[in-house]
Amino acid sequence: RKEVEQDPGPFNVPEGATVAFNCTYSNSASQSFFWYRQDCRKEPKLLMSVYSSGNEDGRFTAQLNRASQYISLLIRDSKLSDSATYLCVVNDYKLSFGAGTTVTVRA
Amino acid sequence: EAQVTQNPRYLITVTGKKLTVTCSQNMNHEYMSWYRQDPGLGLRQIYYSMNVEVTDKGDVPEGYKVSRKEKRNFPLILESPSPNQTSLYFCASSSTAQEEKLFFGSGTQLSVL
C-alpha cells in the first residue's frame, strides 16, 4: 500500500464551482500534513498546512480526519487560475508525497 | 531574491555518459534534497543532506551520487545514466530538516536514450 494516496482526477469543474478531494495516508503516527500546488511540471509550491482543527485560507479549506486517516482540500468559487495539480504531503519522520490530484477549471 | 537554482532545465543524453545536475540555494538553508517525479508515482526522494558533508540515501538512491562540500551547493551525479533514469528531477531546500516548507528548484527534465 502506498504511504500517501490520492485520486488522480482529473476534476473538471466550471468557474465558480466548488471542488473537493481527499488524500489518504497509511501511517497513523504521521505528524503533520500539507497541500502543495504544482503547475504543469513546474516546481511544487506550498499551498497550505493542514491543522487538526482544520484551516482556511481564502477560498481554500483543508481538513484533517485522523480517525479515518485522510486529509481533504476544498476549493470554493473556483477560478481558472486554480487549474493545477495538488499534491498531498505527509510528514511521518520524512516527507512523503502523493502523486497528485489534477483540477481543471473551465470558463 | 531567495531561490533554489537548478541547471540545466532540459537534458538529453545517452546511456553511460556521466552527467551532473547542479543545485544551488542562496537562503543559507541547512537541509537540501533531490527528488524525481514520474507519472503516477509522486515525488520520490533520491538523496538528502542535513548539512555540509552530511548526506544520506532517500527512497530511490540507486544509480545516483551527491556531494555537499559547501552549504549552498548540492549537485546530483549520474555516473552511468540508464533509460530508467529518464525523469523530472527537483532539488529542494529548507532551513532545517524539521522545517517542512520546502523551496524547490525549477526542475530538470532528463531523457536518457
Side-chain angles (χ1 to χ4, degrees), chain B residues 27-74:
Chain B
M27 296 169 279
N28 202 36
H29 283 170
E30 289 184 354
Y31 180 84
M32 297 185 75
S33 182
W34 276 103
Y35 295 88
R36 61 178 288 174
Q37 187 175 32
D38 302 288
L41 294 179
L43 277 86
R44 293 181 292 167
Q45 190 178 53
I46 303 170
Y47 268 94
Y48 64 96
S49 170
M50 307 277 272
N51 214 325
V52 177
E53 302 291 4
V54 180
T55 63
D56 257 309
K57 296 178 181 178
D59 298 317
V60 288
E62 295 77 22
Y64 304 95
K65 283 175 57 177
V66 293
S67 68
R68 187 91 183 273
K69 295 182 178 140
E70 308 162 284
K71 199 170 190 177
R72 63 184 293 123
N73 295 324
F74 190 45

Side-chain angles (χ1 to χ4, degrees), chain A residues 7-28:
Chain A
D7 180 345
F11 288 75
N12 292 307
V13 300
E15 268 188 295
T18 295
V19 59
F21 41 90
N22 295 337
C23 161
T24 59
Y25 59 95
S26 59
N27 186 351
S28 60

Side-chain angles (χ1 to χ4, degrees), chain B residues 12-33:
Chain B
I12 301 174
T13 190
V14 294
T15 299
K17 186 175 181 182
K18 180 179 178 180
L19 66 92
T20 299
V21 184
T22 62
C23 176
S24 179
Q25 50 91 7
N26 62 1
M27 296 169 279
N28 202 36
H29 283 170
E30 289 184 354
Y31 180 84
M32 297 185 75
S33 182

